[in-house]
Amino acid sequence: MKNNISHSEAAEIFNKDVERVNWHDETLWFVREKRDRSAHQIPEWELLRETASQIKLNVLSNIHDYLVEFEANAQKNGIIVHWAANAEEHNVIVHSILEKHNVKQMVKSKSMLTEECHLNDYLTERGIDVIDSDLGERIVQLRKEPPSHIVLPAIHLKKEDVSETFYEHLGTEKGNIDPQYLTESARHHLRDIFLTRKAALTGVNFAVAETGEFVVCTNEGNADMGAHLADVHIACMGFEKLIPQRKHLGVFLRLLARSATGQPITTFSSHFKKPREGKEIHIVIVDNGRSVQLGREDFRNSLKCIRCGACMNTCPVYRRSGGHSYHNAVAGPIGSILAPNLDMKKNADLPFASTLCGSCTNVCPVKIDIHDQLYKWRQVLVQEGYTPKVKTIAMKTMATVLANPMVFDIAGKTGRFAMKNLSGLVNNKLNKWYDQREMPEVPEESFREWYKKNGKATKRKNDE
Amino acid sequence: MSSKEAILQKIKQNQPKEVNELPNLEPLKETNLDVLDQYKTVLKSIGGDFVEVSNYVEIIDFVRQNFDTNKRILTTLTELSEVANLDWSDDDPHSLEDAELILVKAHFGVAENSALWVTDDLMGQRVSTFIPQYLAIAVNKNDIVAKMHHAYDRIGNQEYGFGTFIAGPSKTADIEQSLVLGAHGARGLTVFLMD
């Protein structure tokens, strides 16, 4: 994953291909519109969001007990439960389960948590062949890229790109860009994988404390094909995936797919409660910074996220900068809140990758105050000294100028003079403000000068 | 200290001091949906198909007319033994990969999203609703509930090892958002709506 350049630098590169950016923008907006149509068909949509938000609030305020309850019930069901404090421990646990069963090949369904933990790299380095089975994930995996979107991993690619990738790796016809043909080829390729793997790994959408079961949602059925054909099923979850009771699934399953893709529900919403006879199910419960975020009152609500991706599809910055520019497993607005919690230094740029327009907050199915949290992160990051030096100096200079009327006056005069007579000094690449916009025409006098001349006269006139 | 203890301790320290109450779900159940009508409309819109039948004989006739009965057809419903094999629940699940059609029954359906609730006792094998080329599910018309909240009321504390809501055939739109039916699982879903 590219993590040595900032969001704005990466976005600048993405923006060079204007046609592709426009296409990316429109494609995601199309998904956003499908979400709207779907939500508008539910008269009680707002009540549903509010209810979901309150359930999650209850979870966060009682998560200790729910986790204990969940573990006990899952164990009663015959599921083996593991706890991982961080990404490294998560990877070690998964690897040890595979080693115990002498498994060298594993099939995986989509799990953003394993992306967050860089599990694939970890296992590959230890000689384990990992195949992602979600079609979009498989495409980006073959291209050695990370997913660019949590729900639509290959949304940044055109069918020509997929065709080229499949030609190279799966031996499909060169130049055949028919999605039906390409999907059929992937179907055959992946069926062979499903039928030969002894271990399958899936993510978890929801885990139920009351019953010890967990739910995995897919449209392709890839999680199920993997899990039901393998001897060992490993399910990895961040601890915030917990919900109190089975009946609460009704609320979240109504919201998830409608918010994600505009579908009334995903094709398969599978409830795993007990392993098949003679087979194993393992659950790995992962912290990896979540308990820290739980303690940050301003950012705690980000743990309500159900990973629908609605905030990305609607975000004007995400749509025009692409998921990879966020250099984090979860991109877009919600990712920009979660990422600084994981690593403030590395991800200090992300909360600034937003217009704070609030569209993300408006579509969030669990009512996370996303744009407020982005604004709050900016303040924390500046205070902690993680923002670029240039910006800090500029802000400090501005504060001095604004606090001192005489300096402000001189600065204004100098500025107007320079813009008028020495335009090259202002209209150049060094001026970040000029970079993406035309500079305004300079007025003859400042408001202050105008007011000195006319203000008092106008005031007298009004008083009469 | 084990990771489990460390995580739980940190969570206890950092979670809010007061517990927020769980909300009431009852107001979400209000509805005036025509459930059967809604079920059919939604199923069509997500790529599924339905056939209204009054008995199992009509299902058998439909299968004979619409599927290649020379290929492997499996069911868990004894009433369909004339057209499908019943003896496979102990087979290696991998051997189901050449199944052309598998027919099972659902406990109930949900009008708002056309999903059908199927548990492992109705599936024969857990993979059976995912692996065949085509899937058919029978459900009684008066077993269609309005919304997911009613669905979970129906499920209650039902015991199962595995259960799933199935809404339409396996599908993907991962290649430039073009919808393609039949990603890994069934290419088509036929729902038999029974009187």
Side-chain angles (χ1 to χ4, degrees):
Chain A
M1 195 178 283
K2 285 180 223 153
N3 52 13
N4 48 352
I5 64 170
S6 70
H7 173 269
S8 59
E9 288 167 317
E12 208 172 310
I13 297 166
F14 187 74
N15 271 279
K16 280 191 177 135
D17 189 343
V18 176
E19 233 172 85
R20 190 173 269 250
V21 174
N22 290 342
W23 166 81
H24 189 262
D25 178 22
E26 282 159 21
T27 308
L28 284 152
W29 188 251
F30 168 70
V31 183
R32 153 77 209 255
E33 284 179 325
K34 284 202 291 186
R35 173 258 170 219
D36 287 351
R37 277 197 293 278
S38 189
H40 293 161
Q41 276 173 12
I42 309 286
E44 70 276 24
W45 182 255
E46 287 307 314
L47 177 64
L48 201 54
R49 285 178 72 210
E50 183 56 36
T51 308
S53 184
Q54 282 177 29
I55 295 169
K56 281 287 184 178
L57 209 58
N58 169 274
V59 171
L60 294 180
S61 67
N62 199 24
I63 190 133
H64 176 278
D65 290 356
Y66 284 140
L67 279 168
V68 173
E69 186 187 353
F70 173 72
E71 183 189 41
N73 285 326
Q75 285 170 340
K76 230 183 281 167
N77 296 335
I79 292 174
I80 303 158
V81 182
H82 309 260
W83 298 75
N86 51 42
E88 172 73 16
E89 195 176 359
H90 161 266
N91 294 346
V92 170
I93 291 168
V94 173
H95 184 231
S96 70
I97 299 168
L98 298 176
E99 272 201 317
K100 196 183 106 196
H101 290 272
N102 202 19
V103 169
K104 291 274 170 230
Q105 296 175 311
M106 182 175 79
V107 65
K108 217 172 120 235
S109 88
K110 196 161 62 189
S111 148
M112 292 320 292
L113 175 65
T114 60
E115 293 286 341
E116 174 187 317
C117 297
H118 302 290
L119 176 72
N120 282 17
D121 290 343
Y122 183 92
L123 293 179
T124 308
E125 281 163 22
R126 280 151 190 82
I128 298 197
D129 178 36
V130 182
I131 303 246
D132 276 309
S133 59
D134 171 270
L135 179 59
E137 284 261 323
R138 185 66 185 134
I139 294 167
V140 293
Q141 187 184 33
L142 288 172
R143 297 172 63 91
K144 298 193 167 45
E145 288 174 17
S148 73
H149 187 290
I150 57 172
V151 174
L152 318 159
I155 192 78
H156 60 293
L157 297 171
K158 303 194 103 172
K159 43 191 180 211
E160 288 78 8
D161 304 322
V162 179
S163 167
E164 197 54 39
T165 306
F166 280 11
Y167 164 70
E168 195 183 314
H169 296 276
L170 306 183
T172 54
E173 285 167 32
K174 193 169 176 58
N176 192 333
I177 58 164
D178 176 24
Q180 186 88 40
Y181 166 76
L182 295 170
T183 304
E184 184 70 27
S185 311
R187 176 185 171 99
H188 288 290
H189 157 65
L190 286 165
R191 279 208 152 214
D192 285 343
I193 305 287
F194 288 125
L195 289 163
T196 52
R197 294 306 187 264
K198 299 262 178 278
L201 186 145
T202 70
V204 168
N205 288 90
F206 307 100
V208 185
E210 175 192 42
T211 57
E213 71 197 300
F214 62 93
V215 175
V216 183
C217 304
T218 71
N219 279 321
E220 298 177 10
N222 55 316
D224 290 282
M225 283 289 275
H228 304 316
L229 290 172
D231 296 336
V232 185
H233 173 188
I234 307 169
C236 301
M237 61 176 266
F239 68 65
E240 81 283 9
K241 297 280 177 170
L242 220 56
I243 60 169
Q245 297 160 12
R246 192 185 262 170
K247 68 178 181 193
H248 296 129
L249 287 168
V251 174
F252 293 104
L253 291 179
R254 294 187 77 192
L255 286 165
L256 180 65
R258 287 188 173 99
S259 300
T261 57
Q263 293 171 251
I265 192 169
T266 47
T267 305
F268 306 105
S269 309
S270 292
H271 301 46
F272 294 86
K273 192 157 185 281
K274 295 173 188 166
R276 281 174 293 145
E277 218 181 288
K279 311 294 175 194
E280 287 179 15
I281 295 182
H282 295 256
I283 290 182
V284 189
I285 301 173
V286 182
D287 181 343
N288 204 33
R290 286 161 177 77
S291 58
V292 178
Q293 191 87 324
L294 186 66
R296 298 187 208 269
E297 215 179 314
D298 282 343
F299 306 112
R300 177 180 292 152
N301 272 347
S302 62
L303 295 174
K304 289 180 178 176
C305 178
I306 58 170
R307 303 290 193 269
C308 68
C311 61
M312 303 174 191
N313 303 339
T314 200
C315 177
V317 177
Y318 176 92
R319 283 188 276 121
R320 290 175 185 82
S321 58
H324 288 154
S325 64
Y326 291 80
H327 55 78
N328 187 52
V330 182
I334 187 67
S336 300
I337 298 172
L338 299 172
N341 178 59
L342 286 171
D343 187 339
M344 253 190 241
K345 188 163 183 246
K346 202 178 108 190
N347 300 310
D349 54 328
L350 296 184
F352 295 88
S354 164
T355 61
L356 303 184
C357 68
S359 187
C360 45
T361 305
N362 289 335
V363 296
C364 177
V366 289
K367 287 197 169 180
I368 302 171
D369 48 340
I370 303 177
H371 73 292
D372 286 335
Q373 291 193 33
L374 289 169
Y375 178 59
K376 285 174 185 163
W377 259 130
R378 293 182 185 187
Q379 296 168 54
V380 173
L381 292 163
V382 170
Q383 266 160 19
E384 306 269 327
Y386 288 116
T387 39
K389 278 274 170 301
V390 182
K391 205 176 243 171
T392 318
I393 294 166
M395 284 296 168
K396 280 200 175 135
T397 313
M398 188 132 102
T400 316
V401 173
L402 293 177
N404 189 327
M406 206 200 290
V407 179
F408 180 73
D409 194 34
I410 295 167
K413 279 200 177 105
T414 316
R416 282 195 303 282
F417 179 82
M419 282 173 77
K420 207 166 169 184
N421 303 306
L422 311 161
S423 62
L425 208 66
V426 180
N427 302 347
N428 65 51
K429 284 232 174 253
L430 288 173
N431 178 5
K432 281 284 159 200
W433 190 255
Y434 173 72
D435 221 12
Q436 282 154 29
R437 44 176 86 65
E438 294 292 325
M439 296 306 284
E441 248 180 67
V442 192
E444 285 300 324
E445 53 188 2
S446 71
F447 174 75
R448 202 175 148 88
E449 286 163 354
W450 176 90
Y451 187 77
K452 260 190 190 163
K453 265 193 266 167
N454 303 308
K456 280 172 194 156
T458 314
K459 191 169 182 291
R460 262 202 307 278
K461 219 174 172 184
N462 287 346
D463 286 347
E464 279 167 15
Chain B
M1 199 180 344
S2 73
S3 286
K4 174 187 164 183
E5 285 162 13
I7 294 167
L8 285 173
Q9 198 183 67
K10 218 156 149 195
I11 287 175
K12 199 163 200 174
Q13 244 165 38
N14 287 350
Q15 72 187 18
K17 297 296 162 244
E18 276 173 39
V19 175
N20 286 80
E21 295 268 310
L22 279 168
N24 179 10
L25 304 186
E26 290 306 311
L28 290 167
K29 291 179 191 165
E30 278 174 34
T31 178
N32 50 9
L33 281 182
D34 176 337
V35 290
L36 188 60
D37 200 49
Q38 178 81 5
Y39 185 89
K40 293 179 191 168
T41 313
V42 178
L43 180 64
K44 283 275 185 193
S45 77
I46 59 169
D49 236 324
F50 66 86
V51 187
E52 296 186 64
V53 292
S54 31
N55 52 45
Y56 286 103
V57 178
E58 288 183 33
I59 296 182
I60 292 171
D61 287 344
F62 183 89
V63 171
R64 286 211 172 107
Q65 279 162 30
N66 293 278
F67 291 91
D68 184 350
T69 45
N70 292 320
K71 291 185 176 166
R72 197 169 177 211
I73 297 179
L74 309 173
T75 188
T76 49
L77 301 164
T78 45
E79 295 90 339
L80 302 177
S81 61
E82 245 181 77
V83 76
N85 186 350
L86 276 160
D87 182 26
W88 50 278
S89 58
D90 291 329
D91 289 4
D92 176 0
H94 295 79
S95 70
L96 304 183
E97 62 123 357
D98 58 357
E100 176 72 2
L101 172 68
I102 293 187
L103 302 117
V104 299
K105 185 140 196 214
H107 292 285
F108 62 87
V110 188
E112 67 160 322
N113 53 27
S114 88
L116 295 159
W117 176 245
V118 190
T119 49
D120 44 6
D121 55 325
L122 301 177
M123 289 171 172
Q125 297 235 14
R126 288 189 192 182
V127 80
S128 73
T129 49
F130 304 94
I131 204 169
Q133 297 296 320
Y134 294 92
L135 178 65
I137 303 178
V139 66
N140 290 334
K141 278 182 189 167
N142 48 22
D143 284 329
I144 310 268
V145 301
K147 300 196 265 191
M148 288 303 281
H149 313 295
H150 307 102
Y152 281 100
D153 279 351
R154 271 289 285 264
I155 295 173
N157 52 11
Q158 188 189 354
E159 201 41 66
Y160 49 78
F162 174 77
T164 185
F165 281 104
I166 301 178
S170 159
K171 60 173 84 66
T172 182
D174 273 344
I175 300 175
E176 256 195 52
Q177 285 296 294
S178 316
L179 183 69
V180 179
L181 300 184
H184 308 288
R187 300 165 187 273
L189 170 72
T190 308
V191 177
F192 293 107
L193 294 168
M194 300 181 73
D195 286 329

